[in-house]
Amino acid sequence: MDQLETAARYDFASGHNPPSIGNACDARRMLGVPLDAHLLVIEDDAMIAWMVESLLEDLGFSSISLAASGEDAVAAALVRAPGLIISDIHLGSGMDGVTAAATIVSACSAPVIFITGYSIAQARPRVEAAVQGASLLRKPIQSAELETAIVHAFSARGAH
Amino acid sequence: MSELHDLRSESLGSVLRTALDAVVVMRTDGTIAGWNDVAERTFGWSFRDASGRRMSDLIIPERFRADHEKGLAHFLATGEGPVLNQHIEIHALHRDGRELPVELSITQTSQFGEPVFLGFLRDISERHEAALRQDLMIGELNHRVKNLLGVVAGIAHMTAKSSASLADFEPAFSGRLMALGKAHEILTAATWERASLQTLVDDLLGTMATADPPRATANGPNILLEPKHVLSVSMILHELMTNALKYGALSVPNGHISLSWAVDHKGLSIEWLETGLVLLEQLQRKGFGTKMIERTVAHELKGTSETHWRPDGLTFRFSFTPTTGG
């Protein structure tokens, strides 16, 4: 691992490009959003988790934890309380995203954004019953939708 | 109360008695006059139990009883009976309290001496369960498709980020999509149960393994992987293969890949060995593929991976715990 990290980065494929000018503008536009907030992403699929992480980095966030299961997410939240949770709903076997987010929020209140492959109509009643004020995005997600949901999550929070 | 004597199964007439459906004869006052053998089996009440009881108390779930009584009174008063002479699907009550879906048709007849209602009821539990299963499968399929679109979007996004140009993006992206497609094909052939690692490997190595002399060899015990592990392992092997073709053992004339796996108390270890290379620094890659492999091993397989560089090549090994049974 260490050897890989220090291996020559001769290619362009780091996946962690420095923010471009466009990204900097995006970050400035996200008024009222604390970019130093710690984000917890709960998603069992590595590619989707990576994409969400990358989109969040592009928006200007730098403190992001990834959890592949509900159990891992709850454990991660105990180590560091998240300022925002972004979670898939279905996480394979074990605790699902709604239960994980509700468990975490009951201990340290944080806004929650769910991303789901289920139909929104199917997921909404359960999500709303479990986590008040949570928003719901459909897979596959788009950067603009995610950004809007994040701005909304923090502004709704500020209004409380 | 009724002038009509009881209609035992034997006296229902051969047609009704031998009917494959439950036959229930109800008097206009709502009591049961007839009840065949199928009705006994379907609802759990013998004819002796059922005879003379109100039909609604016996086989209509409580929540529908008031409507039933109202409908009967309405028919007797007006002659209007919207549920008569057609097939309807409704829930009936079994003696043990469970409800069963039935297909019901009601006709009116006077053939037993006074006007009675003749009900034919067919237990459609199996059809109902099949329909529910189908709904469930469609829902699951829909969820799976949307999740897969999420994965494709993720692959597209990350491949685009790691590509210097569209010319770089296209083959890298379509290669990953093809690997995903192949893994799904293998899983579909295995009806989304466990699939064999050997099948996955044979598919990946293809002509590399069958060439003379072979450019790649594979060796390991027969092991079945659960669907999500099949997807993860196939994406990992695809990235290893792509790297080998671009910079590794398959980019030089005498390079060779040896893929092997073993199971021990710690789990499954898969080893990817490239030999026949001379330029070590070309191998020391930290590209998108390598990152994708590391992430997939850690995030999806909850396993570990390590790479050892040698003057003539490299060894990449990853280990994880496959679920047993199934």
Side-chain angles (χ1 to χ4, degrees):
Chain A
M1 197 76 176
D2 200 32
Q3 193 172 7
L4 282 170
E5 289 296 344
T6 53
R9 296 191 177 218
Y10 72 90
D11 66 355
F12 45 79
S14 75
H16 285 276
N17 299 339
S20 66
I21 291 168
N23 290 335
C25 289
D26 286 342
R28 232 189 4 249
R29 209 174 62 226
M30 289 184 67
L31 285 174
V33 173
L35 292 173
D36 58 349
H38 178 63
L39 311 191
L40 177 58
V41 176
I42 315 172
E43 164 63 61
D44 58 337
D45 192 282
M47 288 311 301
I48 300 176
W50 197 1
M51 174 181 172
V52 172
E53 182 186 14
S54 155
L55 292 175
L56 293 171
E57 284 171 350
D58 289 350
L59 290 174
F61 293 99
S62 56
S63 178
I64 303 161
S65 287
L66 304 183
S69 70
E71 289 82 359
D72 287 355
V74 172
L78 287 174
V79 175
R80 184 163 181 196
L84 171 68
I85 300 164
I86 298 172
S87 180
D88 185 12
I89 290 182
H90 184 77
L91 299 167
S93 55
M95 187 191 288
D96 78 353
V98 176
T99 310
T103 306
I104 296 167
V105 167
S106 70
C108 57
S109 101
V112 183
I113 297 168
F114 287 104
I115 300 172
T116 184
Y118 290 111
S119 73
I120 297 283
Q122 198 183 352
R124 192 181 299 284
R126 211 177 136 235
V127 161
E128 281 176 354
V131 186
Q132 264 201 338
S135 49
L136 205 50
L137 299 180
R138 184 181 283 118
K139 271 186 190 175
I141 57 157
Q142 275 192 312
S143 177
E145 278 183 335
L146 181 63
E147 184 181 344
T148 306
I150 291 172
V151 171
H152 174 77
F154 282 111
S155 66
R157 200 167 165 69
H160 274 288
Chain B
M1 181 165 184
S2 167
E3 290 157 26
L4 182 76
H5 51 83
D6 288 344
L7 291 170
R8 299 188 66 88
S9 191
E10 311 81 90
S11 59
L12 269 179
S14 59
V15 174
L16 299 187
R17 197 172 68 239
T18 59
L20 294 175
D21 292 348
V23 179
V24 176
V25 185
M26 186 185 82
R27 300 182 184 94
T28 51
D29 67 359
T31 59
I32 291 168
W35 189 262
N36 73 349
D37 296 348
V38 182
E40 292 196 349
R41 287 198 300 275
T42 306
F43 302 113
W45 300 96
S46 69
F47 173 70
R48 187 178 293 278
D49 296 329
S51 175
R53 302 269 301 270
R54 288 200 74 75
M55 193 201 73
S56 60
D57 291 344
L58 228 50
I59 63 168
I60 296 182
E62 209 171 330
R63 62 185 186 282
F64 300 132
R65 277 178 204 161
D67 281 346
H68 163 80
E69 299 291 359
K70 213 159 73 185
L72 179 60
H74 182 74
F75 174 74
L76 294 173
T78 64
E80 289 169 16
V83 298
L84 290 181
N85 305 314
Q86 59 175 315
H87 290 277
I88 53 174
E89 285 188 14
I90 190 171
H91 278 86
L93 191 62
H94 187 274
R95 184 176 189 165
D96 65 14
R98 84 191 136 89
E99 290 188 10
L100 53 146
V102 293
E103 188 179 81
L104 165 70
S105 59
I106 310 169
T107 53
Q108 213 199 5
T109 174
S110 295
Q111 74 171 93
F112 301 107
E114 66 168 291
V116 290
F117 297 100
L118 202 51
F120 288 84
L121 299 99
R122 177 176 300 171
D123 181 353
I124 53 167
S125 297
E126 277 180 28
R127 195 206 299 172
H128 220 244
E129 277 160 24
L132 284 177
R133 262 200 308 277
Q134 191 176 23
D135 284 352
L136 210 68
M137 276 170 66
I138 291 169
E140 175 57 28
L141 182 67
N142 183 37
H143 175 245
R144 202 171 270 178
V145 166
K146 288 228 226 114
N147 210 57
L148 187 60
L149 285 176
V151 173
V152 171
I155 292 174
H157 181 84
M158 297 316 298
T159 306
K161 279 210 136 183
S162 68
S163 300
S165 68
L166 257 183
D168 281 347
F169 171 82
E170 204 283 326
F173 180 62
S174 61
R176 286 175 184 129
L177 278 195
M178 274 174 63
L180 199 58
K182 273 187 192 173
H184 276 78
E185 210 169 282
I186 287 168
L187 282 172
T188 303
T191 61
W192 281 82
E193 307 274 332
R194 289 155 178 279
S196 129
L197 176 57
Q198 184 73 53
T199 310
L200 201 69
V201 167
D202 288 346
D203 206 75
L204 175 88
L205 299 180
T207 55
M208 298 295 170
T210 53
D212 187 25
R215 302 296 309 274
T217 50
N219 181 35
N222 187 29
I223 181 168
L224 297 177
L225 300 176
E226 65 170 298
K228 70 180 183 123
H229 287 169
V230 168
L231 292 172
S232 306
V233 170
S234 73
M235 294 315 281
I236 291 166
L237 294 179
H238 168 78
E239 294 304 324
L240 288 168
M241 191 71 171
T242 304
N243 279 348
L245 282 163
K246 268 164 113 174
Y247 325 102
L250 299 179
S251 69
V252 295
N254 295 317
H256 184 266
I257 292 170
S258 171
L259 179 55
S260 61
W261 60 94
V263 183
D264 66 11
H265 64 283
K266 282 184 292 189
L268 170 64
S269 265
I270 301 178
E271 188 179 275
W272 175 275
L273 179 78
E274 293 184 31
T275 51
L277 285 149
V278 277
L279 293 169
L280 178 64
E281 57 269 64
Q282 268 201 345
L283 272 173
Q284 296 203 339
R285 49 199 179 228
K286 181 66 183 172
F288 169 81
T290 306
K291 286 197 164 194
M292 183 169 161
I293 291 167
E294 286 171 11
R295 280 177 179 256
T296 306
V297 171
H299 198 88
E300 292 181 1
L301 299 175
K302 302 215 175 289
T304 54
S305 60
E306 53 182 344
T307 309
H308 293 293
W309 306 94
R310 295 184 321 275
D312 72 330
L314 76 115
T315 306
F316 175 77
R317 190 181 296 114
F318 64 108
S319 311
F320 64 100
T321 311
T323 51
T324 49

